[in-house]
Amino acid sequence: MCALKEALSPVNIKTIKDICQSYNNNAGNLINILHRVQEEFGYLPIEVQEAVARELSISVAKIYGVVSFYTFFTMKPKGKYPISVCLGTACYVRGSEPILEELKKTLAINVGETTPDGFFSLDSLRCVGACGLAPVVIVGEKVYGRVEVHDIGKILSEYK
Amino acid sequence: MEKIKLTIDKRTVEVEKGTTVYQAAKQIGVNIPVLCYMNLGHLGIENRPGGCRVCVVEVEGRKNLAPSCSTLCTEGMVVKTNSPRVLNARKTVLELILSDHPKDCLVCAKSGNCELQELAIKLGIREIPGEKYSEMSTYRPDTSPSIIRDLDKCVMCRRCETMCNKVQTVGALNAINRGFMAVVAPAFERNLENSPCTFCGQCVAVCPTGALTEVNHTNQLIRALADPTKTVVVQTAPAVRAALGEEFGMEPGTLVTGKMAAALRTLGFDYVFDTDFAADLTIMEEGTELLNRIGKFLEGDKDVKLPILTSCCPAWVNFFECNYPDMLDVPSTARSPQQMFGSVAKAYLADKLGVKREDMVVVSIMPCLAKKYECQRDEFKIDGNPDVDFSISTRELAALIKGANISFTSLPDEDFDNPLGESTGAAVIFGATGGVIEAAVRTAYEVFTKKKLDRVDFTELRGLEGIRSASIDFNGTTINIGIAHGLGNARKLLDGIRAGMYNFHAIEIMACPGGCIGGGGQPYHHGNSEIIKARHQAIYREDAEKPIRKSHENPYIVKLYEEFLGSPMSEKAHHLLHTHYFDKSKQKQD
């Protein structure tokens, strides 16, 4: 993951070129390419989408169409530790909503936002396939099961 | 071709393999209602996302209803297109679409021409169940110099997306977001003006509802007509006369040149002139530029830019400014006929009439929406006063005539006024693909060879094929000509030139399929290619009937050069009739 300024640096452009090339600049692989690019940059700002459009010789409107369709893709930078709260049926009935509310309150951000220090970002998702552990919260790559509201402070403190 | 037999509404039909149920039904006269489906046979393009579900039918043995537009016929298939189950589902589908559609039909710009409205009438929709509780999706409206996007009225048929991407390869529009928020928009929901849009208007031409409409200038026009201090001058493009009649129930391909002139006079224009006059002028300038470049090329000048590209089409100009900024010195510098007319009217005519520039209002009637943008370009203004004040479409003119309660079909034929109303057959064919270059050849041949042309009709340059080429013998010198219409075809040709594939001397490009006769401001043809063909034939019929058919023989053009301009490409001509292009590849951001 690397920080992005307004305009793309030659290194950034090379990264995008290399990723597109590894898929033979084939627009049919657009979703895979965007996944790889987002992995690299953390998000897909306008300049990055424009660069991908140039490499694949397709319109940037088409790329934005895909980016805005799939919730996985984001145009906003995520925090260093992205937090996701599962709102799938099992987690929801076992109380994930109050957990989400607690996170919003503690971090003072809304869903889809990032804390000013760039540490945490907050998202909701639908079912991670760990319903037995409901309710589930994911921080970065780590999955926390059977979370309760009063656990939140402890979980967050692991990352400070 | 393999044949398939199936039953539709108890009738046996035999169709080729690969035929859809919708097409098969059409063969036996059963017109299944559609909304998103659009078949542009003449372009080989079909839009069938299968999204609206209005065209559903019942297929025996299939559990759910099938969208007929995208379901292929199979051997022995039994289809019902009007069973109670089908009719009920169709109605429900439409009610659901309407539940998220504004109900301001009475004041909608598309009223009377709206396919959604037609469907609602056809299916007898009288109420929308649950309307009180239904949520409406709303979007920020977007007004550009040519096109208005009111996406509250978008039904996601995605026809505009097909035109913009598959036919025109402009890539300004795409479906974005998902579910209830899904809509067709430029990248990052920017305004159309800050996208690669060329304002060709082909999206407006196919939009079934009022989601995409033209910017309407008729109110401004009426105010100008009502203002006694203004001298209001009108010019009409060649393609308008071949299509305007359709708006009044006349057969497609009916020429209404005389009635149109009479109607404009009745509407109160002070002078009724013809863009065709300026088309003749364009040929004088563009033809001379072509011959200059070819002359230099034959003398061995390595820097001369060939092929020369025509520059009459404003959407095409926008297209190359945005996509081919490395080739800005290739197109002719000649302004479009609309702009040449405006420039001559406000410099030459105003002076002749003793009218001040700011008291003259020049209006153009165009088959085109990009012309609205073109006349607002800064380089066509003097101290903020535009050469052409506003441009209205063929459709807007029709609405104006209807609104003024003029019985168009019973009007007598009248002539244009002079001096800017006289034109030749060469000018009329500007309205069809291949026409500009044929007109240029007629003049260039005689100027180049100093011989009289025996055969005026260059049929090898005519036709409706997307990309065409021909070689013309200029008395021993072969001139290679390329023609493309539709921006997708233009792109193919341009990419070929960039790669050094062709050795054309001159290329004509028109942004709209068919040329101006298929323009974004013309009466809606709803994808019926027969209408385009009829307009095409009408244009050539008008040419054949003209007593003078070569631009340089137009006596008023000769006089204009004698009295005012000097010679083609003179300093004065350069100042008034030529332009320059800009790199617009970097899009502005909102």
Side-chain angles (χ1 to χ4, degrees), chain B residues 493-516:
Chain B
L493 208 53
L494 264 270
D495 287 344
I497 294 166
R498 219 186 221 169
M501 272 164 58
Y502 303 113
N503 63 341
F504 291 123
H505 297 102
I507 293 179
E508 179 205 287
I509 292 175
M510 291 295 155
C512 290
C516 307

Side-chain angles (χ1 to χ4, degrees), chain A residues 44-47 49-50 59-66 68-71 75, chain B residues 161 165 170-179 185-190 589:
Chain A
L44 297 168
I46 289 176
E47 303 75 33
Q49 293 184 42
E50 283 172 343
S59 76
V60 67
K62 182 156 213 92
I63 293 185
Y64 179 68
V66 171
S68 62
F69 184 88
Y70 291 105
T71 45
M75 287 181 65
Chain B
E161 196 184 336
N165 294 286
V170 166
L173 295 174
N174 206 88
I176 61 156
N177 300 335
R178 67 191 302 169
F188 317 119
E189 298 181 52
R190 284 176 180 162
Q589 292 182 18

